[in-house]
Amino acid sequence: TQLLEQSPQFLSIQEGENLTVYCNSSSVFSSLQWYRQEPGEGPVLLVTVVTGGEVKKLKRLTFQFGDARKDSSLHITAAQPGDTGLYLCAGAIGFGGYQKVTFGTGTKLQVIP
Amino acid sequence: DAGITQSPRHKVTETGTPVTLRCHQTENHRYMYWYRQDPGHGLRLIHYSYGVKDTDKGEVSDGYSVSRSKTEDFLLTLESATSSQTSVYFCAIRTSGGDSSYNEQFFGPGTRLTVL
């Protein structure tokens, strides 16, 4: 069973600080998704990265896929209380049809006003 | 935006009783999934479906069965609930279609199940 390890598990920071969350595996993924989940709700897709070395930006969030497509990072600039939530990465193997997807255990972020 | 509902949203039951959770989508997405989410384990796939009457097991399928008699409905059944099945259950649909697409999923709101 492939593993997707996320670090840190928990992060509590002050509003305005920057942070980076990591997602690491020994498996090569065909694509990798990042989700954010708020308490009592299901995860919501933020972004998909596909190409090794790819960087995508979503406002203050920057996502990078590792060159070897085994790892990814999420960087948040000037964090705001609205960024609070559980961040999950999910790596997929395969294209089209059924794709084996593994979710990381998540990083719980708290941004203090 | 994909419409997906789960019912019930909360359920408390006793060990040994059967439980069925329902997932309903309002669009004709082919792939549907059932996950459970537990602290320290993240989201783990129980079963998935790739069409009407086409289902397969995920990594934690023991003690669970599924059925999909219509495109829009995917049912998860615990034949005889155990305390280890206390969890939050999420249904998801794969929103990106086509053979060259990526596995982008849209999740329902979840069902919190407690087995006493």
Side-chain angles (χ1 to χ4, degrees):
Chain A
T1 302
Q2 67 216 46
L3 294 175
L4 254 182
E5 298 188 359
Q6 285 188 239
S7 61
Q9 285 187 313
F10 302 96
L11 195 53
S12 182
I13 62 171
Q14 295 291 325
E15 181 177 358
E17 293 183 357
N18 301 333
L19 67 119
T20 302
V21 174
Y22 299 93
C23 177
N24 294 292
S25 176
S26 58
S27 300
V28 177
F29 297 112
S30 50
S31 69
L32 187 140
Q33 285 79 37
W34 283 94
Y35 294 82
R36 179 168 65 210
Q37 182 179 20
E38 299 189 19
E41 299 181 7
V44 175
L45 179 69
L46 294 174
V47 76
T48 293
V49 287
V50 178
T51 306
E54 181 177 5
V55 176
K56 280 192 174 179
K57 291 191 176 184
L58 185 65
K59 296 184 181 178
R60 294 174 294 98
L61 279 60
T62 301
F63 304 87
Q64 184 163 9
F65 203 12
D67 291 341
R69 291 185 287 127
K70 294 182 179 181
D71 54 84
S72 181
S73 63
L74 158 61
H75 182 79
I76 301 179
T77 303
Q80 298 179 1
D83 296 327
T84 293
L86 178 68
Y87 289 82
L88 297 163
C89 61
I93 293 177
F95 287 99
Y98 172 68
Q99 297 174 21
K100 183 174 173 62
V101 175
T102 300
F103 279 83
T105 51
T107 294
K108 195 168 186 178
L109 171 65
Q110 180 186 35
V111 181
I112 302 167
Chain B
D1 201 13
I4 181 169
T5 57
Q6 292 184 232
S7 59
R9 294 294 314 278
H10 302 272
K11 187 171 182 65
V12 180
T13 191
E14 294 187 350
T15 297
T17 59
V19 177
T20 295
L21 308 182
R22 180 177 181 245
C23 177
H24 178 79
Q25 61 160 322
T26 57
E27 300 180 7
N28 292 324
H29 292 288
R30 180 182 175 192
Y31 287 88
M32 299 184 74
Y33 308 83
W34 275 108
Y35 293 90
R36 59 179 290 173
Q37 186 173 37
D38 305 286
H41 291 278
L43 282 162
R44 292 181 292 174
L45 181 65
I46 304 171
H47 282 278
Y48 67 96
S49 170
Y50 47 97
V52 173
K53 297 186 180 178
D54 291 324
T55 65
D56 207 345
K57 297 179 180 180
E59 61 179 300
V60 290
S61 59
D62 287 348
Y64 302 94
S65 63
V66 290
S67 66
R68 192 166 178 201
S69 58
K70 298 185 291 184
T71 299
E72 59 266 33
D73 290 323
F74 192 29
L75 304 180
L76 176 70
T77 298
L78 290 66
E79 301 290 349
S80 178
T82 67
S83 59
S84 65
Q85 293 176 311
T86 292
S87 185
V88 181
Y89 291 86
F90 288 99
C91 174
I93 55 178
R94 180 168 146 188
T95 52
S96 46
D99 290 338
S100 62
S101 62
Y102 307 111
N103 202 317
E104 297 174 335
Q105 297 185 19
F106 183 85
F107 286 81
T111 294
R112 183 172 294 275
L113 176 67
T114 302
V115 184
L116 302 175

